[in-house]
Amino acid sequence: MSRGNPSLYRALDTNQIVDSLKKNVEEEYAERLKSLASVKRAMEPLAKRAASSGELEIAYIVKGKHNVVQRLRNLIEETKKQLLFLTFEKDLLEAVRPAILEAKARNVRVRSAVTPELIETAEALGSVKELICNCNLLLSDDSKLVTVSNWRSDKCHAIVSDDPVMTTIAREYYDNPKCCC
């Protein structure tokens, strides 16, 4: 037992209880509506983009060398104005070289960066820089990016994206003298 004054509780009127519960439910409902409105605002640009293009593609993965090469060739064939290709893999360069030469014949501006041992092979493609970093990427018309990973393994895959931030990073990567000179 402890000393002190005992707490006294008195029952509230039923109307007060119901009114208090109703107020709590209404406040919770208002908060949920605000959350829903926020989600709607975030989704609207995606919905507009999907409606206008008929298809919504943010990024996807292509698995397997054959599929990766086919996706690269298709993208090169679809290129209208300019193509940026960075690689340190001789086999990858040889796999897409014919498609790049065809694009060049269609007056597509081709810029590439390759490792020193590949420069001679790549010179026929157009403007060539020396690639210092080990990366494989293709940027088509400054709007569609394909990055290739694990080219030499059976886990070869590519990430395909038209995200403007990623395409800008790829373009700036090529222009960065610490990566391409």
Side-chain angles (χ1 to χ4, degrees):
M1 271 175 81
S2 63
R3 294 184 166 259
N5 294 335
S7 298
L8 296 175
Y9 297 98
R10 61 186 169 105
L12 296 175
D13 179 48
T14 55
N15 287 336
Q16 280 182 303
I17 295 171
V18 171
D19 289 344
S20 179
L21 288 172
K22 183 178 176 184
K23 181 181 174 187
N24 289 344
V25 168
E26 287 173 348
E27 288 174 357
E28 186 178 318
Y29 180 72
E31 285 298 315
R32 288 186 180 188
L33 282 178
K34 285 180 187 176
S35 295
L36 188 58
S38 174
V39 169
K40 180 184 176 197
R41 280 192 304 275
M43 290 175 54
E44 283 175 341
L46 293 174
K48 286 179 185 175
R49 186 169 164 207
S52 66
S53 68
E55 153 182 342
L56 178 62
E57 176 184 290
I58 296 172
Y60 61 91
I61 297 175
V62 177
K63 294 182 179 180
K65 275 188 184 181
H66 175 77
N67 296 333
V68 168
V69 169
Q70 194 58 46
R71 183 64 189 119
L72 290 169
R73 287 179 182 158
N74 289 347
L75 187 56
I76 293 166
E77 289 171 9
E78 295 168 6
T79 302
K80 304 278 188 248
K81 295 178 183 175
Q82 59 184 337
L83 187 68
L84 175 63
F85 183 58
L86 283 64
T87 189
F88 70 101
E89 299 285 359
K90 182 178 182 181
D91 293 343
L92 181 59
L93 175 60
E94 290 175 356
V96 297
R97 189 172 187 267
I100 293 174
L101 289 172
E102 288 176 18
K104 186 177 176 188
R106 293 191 324 267
N107 293 321
V108 171
R109 179 180 175 217
V110 178
R111 297 178 300 157
S112 59
V114 296
T115 51
E117 62 273 6
L118 300 178
I119 287 179
E120 190 175 314
T121 306
E123 283 179 334
L125 302 178
S127 173
V128 180
K129 286 185 172 183
E130 182 179 335
L131 181 64
I132 297 169
C133 307
N134 288 344
C135 70
N136 298 305
L137 68 83
L138 179 97
L139 179 61
S140 171
D141 290 330
D142 286 337
S143 63
K144 182 74 85 175
L145 175 67
V146 180
T147 61
V148 180
S149 300
N150 299 321
W151 175 254
R152 294 182 190 175
S153 81
D154 59 344
K155 296 184 181 192
C156 174
H157 65 276
I159 298 175
V160 181
S161 176
D162 60 357
D163 179 68
V165 173
M166 296 302 293
T167 58
T168 300
I169 289 171
R171 202 173 34 256
E172 290 177 2
Y173 189 74
Y174 175 81
D175 294 332
N176 185 339
K178 291 185 178 181
C179 298
C180 301
C181 55

